[in-house]
Amino acid sequence: MPIPRRPGPETSAYAVVEEDRIWATELLRKSGLSPTPANQLVLHILRRCPPRHLTVDRLCAVMLTLQEKVPVSTFRSALYQLADAGLVGRVKIERGIPRARHYYELADHPPHFHFFCTQCHALE
């Protein structure tokens, strides 16, 4: 199911705005998931954070800068649940690096290819 990515101005420090909370709640309910604070934060960060592809460590780091925090283990569990439900895409990179790395993105685009730089580890 494609997820509409609503345009909007970037907010300072990725502050959660009411529009994001409403959007995430509607999306989660349509998918049969609970609109928990952790689920909402994952979707909010993936929607507002400028790099499209983020590692779980980067997602957690952004979450910790927000006023609305949840335990890191709960946040990670929510991320994995959203990936399993298809709301979040998971990209696994295995070649060109010593250890497999996962990147996450909103599943708001049709299936597409990714390019990974083995020098700077950027994913496009």
Side-chain angles (χ1 to χ4, degrees):
M1 163 170 90
I3 300 170
R5 190 179 195 113
R6 295 188 183 174
E10 291 299 322
T11 56
S12 64
Y14 318 114
V16 179
V17 292
E18 190 60 26
E19 175 191 346
D20 289 339
R21 197 178 324 279
I22 293 168
W23 169 79
T25 299
E26 289 173 4
L27 183 62
L28 290 162
R29 286 196 174 135
K30 284 179 188 175
S31 300
L33 299 172
S34 298
T36 65
N39 285 343
Q40 290 179 338
L41 278 175
V42 169
L43 292 174
H44 164 74
I45 292 168
L46 287 171
R47 184 180 190 205
R48 295 288 179 176
C49 201
R52 176 152 178 86
H53 305 95
L54 299 167
T55 63
V56 68
D57 292 335
R58 178 73 177 122
L59 281 162
C60 289
V62 171
M63 185 270 296
L64 292 172
T65 67
L66 300 173
Q67 285 183 327
E68 301 179 32
K69 292 180 180 68
V70 295
V72 172
S73 60
T74 303
F75 184 81
R76 284 176 176 254
S77 294
L79 175 63
Y80 303 146
Q81 177 188 27
L82 293 172
D84 291 343
L87 295 178
V88 171
R90 183 181 314 163
V91 180
K92 184 177 182 180
I93 305 295
E94 296 181 280
R95 294 184 175 204
I97 55 176
R99 198 177 114 211
R101 197 180 266 202
H102 291 94
Y103 290 82
Y104 296 88
E105 63 183 335
L106 268 183
D108 59 348
H109 285 59
H112 54 278
F113 291 100
H114 293 93
F115 297 96
F116 180 73
C117 178
T118 56
Q119 300 206 339
C120 70
H121 297 179
L123 183 69
E124 294 293 328

